[in-house]
Amino acid sequence: MKKLFYTALIFVLITVTFTSCLTTKIDSNKESRSYKTINFTEESDFLRTEITYPSFEAYPDLSKMVKNTIFSNWENFKSYSDKEWNDLNEINSKNGKSSLPPFEYLVQTEVYNSSSKYISILINTYIFNGGAHGNTNLISYNYNIDTSKYDKITTVTGMDYNQLSDIVRKKLYDKLITKNPNLTTPTQESDLREMINTGAFPQAGNFQIFTVGKQTVTVYFEPYSVAPYSYGIQKVDLKIE
């Protein structure tokens, strides 16, 4: 009887939902780019989860890569957050404080498929596990439909990392320093310039997050990468032929 009670309790505390819808179809080179948008939600005492991701019938390898990446990262966080949330609430209880709200794990994906050669997926994950604010993590996949491989930014643009860094840093200087009315002291400008130089230094790790459009490649930088958290995600567009 006790086992049945606990099973029913778990069912009440954790609610999981999967839904899907078909997006607008886009055809290129007579090959379908259509995909389903899958929505997954789960509610528990310690974690609220909302995940949205695409599923391509014509590109199962791409769909599998995106799904595995999202749910592997989520499972790792979920395993960690269960103990962390309960430990924090135990401390709060001893100190006479109220219980914490559930942590949050929110995933949104954007699909860019205007390029004749690439399908780009940008995975945006927002995680809140206490503190002043949450954290945003970005991952991108740029799938070459001709080769069924994932290309690096150097392959897509034809530029090396030194060339990319030079262009990107100049654009960030202009946007975040030259045209920034909120900078009021030389120290603020110096600190921001140092963040840009570090975050856009010519190495592969700084240029992993990008998407491919029809005539542009957009490079993304997470909060804290090239500017303070309050500046949000930074984007830099590069023209390509």
Side-chain angles (χ1 to χ4, degrees):
M1 184 69 181
K2 200 177 273 188
K3 184 178 180 181
L4 288 174
F5 170 77
Y6 286 127
T7 303
L9 182 60
I10 292 171
F11 180 79
V12 171
L13 293 179
I14 302 178
T15 304
V16 180
T17 305
F18 267 106
T19 60
S20 67
C21 61
L22 185 66
T23 68
T24 304
K25 178 181 286 189
I26 301 176
D27 291 325
S28 178
N29 298 330
K30 298 181 180 179
E31 194 163 14
S32 174
R33 304 286 193 92
S34 65
Y35 59 93
K36 288 183 179 179
T37 298
I38 312 297
N39 298 302
F40 170 85
T41 63
E42 181 178 287
E43 298 277 351
S44 69
D45 281 348
F46 65 92
L47 181 61
R48 181 173 73 88
T49 302
E50 293 182 6
I51 295 175
T52 300
Y53 62 97
S55 179
F56 295 83
E57 184 176 354
Y59 306 103
D61 290 345
L62 174 60
S63 298
K64 184 178 179 180
M65 176 70 80
V66 171
K67 181 179 179 180
N68 286 351
T69 296
I70 290 173
F71 281 93
S72 175
N73 290 339
W74 173 66
E75 289 287 357
N76 289 336
F77 178 79
K78 183 180 177 181
S79 176
Y80 148 82
S81 62
D82 187 359
K83 184 178 185 305
E84 178 73 8
W85 187 84
N86 282 291
D87 287 348
L88 289 173
N89 274 313
E90 185 177 344
I91 294 171
N92 281 356
S93 179
K94 289 179 180 179
N95 294 330
K97 296 182 180 179
S98 59
S99 177
L100 291 172
F103 291 159
E104 293 183 332
Y105 197 92
L106 313 176
V107 180
Q108 293 183 330
T109 56
E110 294 181 55
V111 178
Y112 300 86
N113 55 11
S114 60
S115 167
S116 62
K117 189 175 180 180
Y118 291 97
I119 299 175
S120 293
I121 311 292
L122 181 67
I123 305 171
N124 184 325
T125 303
Y126 175 82
I127 301 171
F128 180 78
N129 57 345
H133 54 71
N135 294 307
T136 298
N137 299 318
L138 301 176
I139 298 172
S140 70
Y141 289 107
N142 294 278
Y143 184 77
N144 187 322
I145 62 175
D146 294 333
T147 64
S148 299
K149 294 181 179 180
Y150 302 93
D151 285 347
K152 297 179 180 180
I153 193 170
T154 49
T155 301
V156 177
T157 64
M159 293 186 278
D160 61 31
Y161 290 113
N162 286 312
Q163 293 171 311
L164 288 166
S165 176
D166 184 55
I167 295 171
V168 168
R169 281 189 289 179
K170 286 178 180 178
K171 286 178 175 287
L172 289 171
Y173 293 154
D174 185 56
K175 176 184 176 182
L176 300 177
I177 297 176
T178 304
K179 297 178 180 179
N180 186 352
N182 296 318
L183 294 183
T184 57
T185 68
T187 300
Q188 288 177 325
E189 179 178 333
S190 176
D191 290 346
L192 195 50
R193 189 175 294 274
E194 183 177 354
M195 290 190 74
I196 293 171
N197 290 340
T198 302
F201 185 79
Q203 62 184 22
N206 290 333
F207 295 91
Q208 290 181 327
I209 309 168
F210 69 97
T211 56
V212 185
K214 193 171 184 179
Q215 294 180 316
T216 61
V217 166
T218 302
V219 185
Y220 300 80
F221 295 94
E222 298 169 341
Y224 293 124
S225 294
V226 294
Y229 180 86
S230 59
Y231 283 68
I233 297 169
Q234 294 301 313
K235 303 177 185 180
V236 178
D237 290 331
L238 307 174
K239 291 184 178 181
I240 57 172
E241 297 181 0

